[in-house]
Amino acid sequence: MSAVEAQEWRDFAVFLARASAAKICENISLRSGSHSGTVSEKDGNADLVTETDEQVEKFIRSSIQSKYPTHKFVGEESADEPGSVEANLTDDPTWVVDPIDGTMNFVHGYTGFAVSIAVLFRKRPLVGVVLDVDKGRLYTAIGGQGAWCNGVRLSVSRCDHIHHCLLATETTGRRDAASISEISQSLANLLTARVAGVRMSGSAALNVCHVAEGAADAYFEFGPHIWDIAAAEVILREAGGVSLDPVTMQPPNICSRRYLAAATEALARQIEPHIVKVTRLPTD
């Protein structure tokens, strides 16, 4: 794999993200403020899927298969049973796509939803493209070539103390008593530790991009899938940030559904003791 190939993949991912955003905006226009078409829950939890998610993923997948017939594909709306993604990953170029990350926001007409496209090479995220549909902010990165947003190079905040930290997280889509207790206790612990503030955007990909651009200082969540974070992981890394598994405090397995991103490792290690650890989630 050459640098020219990686740039070609990045450019095609940008084209797909922009074309997908146009389709999403067309759907928004057609629905005229009402909820978007057919909406259903995934696995009985609070994660939603719409006709638009499925249509956009189908467009992206068919476009990739036409241009790169030997490449692999992993998509949120077409993923198989838990554990199948990791089991089937190969060293081949693999496109990992979330057609709309932040579907709950999209359905309600609330800001904060994105198209997320990554290319893995040798099982590691190499190319990342995240397009904030509402704001038109295009985040891109290639491993070893820096991270950018609308032509401006990104850099993390360098925050290294929890008292100065603006922290992003999510409640997750799970509504069982144990999950509610875990996130509630983690937030109580962090607030008691005097974290400066907590925000929930509704999009894991955008949360990580916000850390990459210095708008937030850290983000943690138990539950994000590989398609939620693969693209943003490249962007974070190339902006100088760090990502860790909040249970092991080692580099994350992006299929593990455990993720901690921070501007600095010092900040990540101050946050970690206050997080209730969750290890029972099925992997991707």
Side-chain angles (χ1 to χ4, degrees), residues 1-282:
M1 191 280 306
S2 67
V4 172
E5 285 178 296
Q7 290 167 2
E8 180 184 277
W9 298 344
R10 187 269 320 277
D11 292 346
F12 191 55
V14 168
F15 162 76
L16 292 173
R18 286 179 168 153
S20 298
K23 292 178 181 294
I24 294 167
C25 291
E26 180 181 5
N27 179 283
I28 294 171
S29 177
L30 288 173
R31 80 188 194 219
S32 300
S34 63
H35 282 194
S36 176
T38 300
V39 181
S40 58
E41 291 186 350
K42 299 177 186 176
D43 303 322
N45 62 27
D47 286 333
L48 302 181
V49 59
T50 71
E51 292 172 322
T52 308
D53 290 87
E54 295 168 343
Q55 291 165 2
V56 171
E57 181 171 312
K58 184 177 180 180
F59 160 72
I60 295 174
R61 182 171 191 163
S62 64
S63 299
I64 293 168
Q65 289 175 335
S66 177
K67 188 172 180 67
Y68 301 112
T70 63
H71 288 196
K72 305 295 193 300
F73 181 88
V74 174
E76 177 178 15
E77 309 312 332
S78 56
D80 294 322
E81 66 275 2
S84 63
V85 174
E86 186 172 20
N88 293 318
L89 274 183
T90 71
D91 287 343
D92 294 333
T94 302
W95 294 69
V96 180
V97 173
D98 191 341
I100 305 178
D101 185 45
T103 301
M104 183 74 74
N105 291 345
F106 168 68
V107 167
H108 288 84
Y110 191 86
T111 189
F113 49 91
V115 181
S116 176
I117 303 174
V119 185
L120 275 58
F121 184 68
R122 295 177 179 166
K123 305 179 183 179
R124 180 176 171 83
L126 175 68
V127 172
V129 171
V130 175
L131 176 56
D132 184 332
V133 177
D134 236 10
K135 296 181 179 178
R137 293 180 66 77
L138 178 68
Y139 302 89
T140 65
I142 300 173
Q145 297 186 31
W148 307 81
C149 180
N150 293 353
V152 177
R153 188 153 191 168
L154 298 180
S155 179
V156 294
S157 69
R158 311 314 304 172
C159 175
D160 61 2
H161 200 289
I162 193 169
H163 292 175
H164 304 143
C165 173
L166 181 62
L167 175 75
T169 189
E170 298 295 335
T171 58
T172 80
R174 303 184 304 280
R175 292 296 180 266
D176 59 284
S179 296
I180 293 169
S181 175
E182 288 155 357
I183 186 62
S184 299
Q185 189 59 59
S186 290
L187 289 174
N189 293 346
L190 288 159
L191 291 169
T192 302
R194 294 177 56 201
V195 67
V198 177
R199 300 291 183 269
M200 297 183 186
S201 76
S203 164
L206 290 178
N207 283 332
V208 180
C209 287
H210 294 160
V211 177
E213 68 182 341
D217 302 303
Y219 157 72
F220 85 92
E221 188 177 354
F222 290 92
H225 294 278
I226 183 173
W227 44 82
D228 296 319
I229 61 170
E233 161 74 7
V234 189
I235 295 163
L236 173 74
R237 193 169 66 231
E238 289 300 309
V242 299
S243 59
L244 298 164
D245 180 324
V247 173
T248 66
M249 292 303 284
Q250 298 298 313
N253 171 352
I254 58 171
C255 290
S256 72
R257 303 182 64 202
R258 307 193 302 246
Y259 196 76
L260 170 60
T264 61
E265 185 168 345
L267 178 61
R269 295 195 176 278
Q270 291 174 55
I271 292 169
E272 178 271 331
H274 305 291
I275 298 173
V276 176
K277 309 303 187 293
V278 180
T279 59
R280 68 181 182 282
L281 298 178

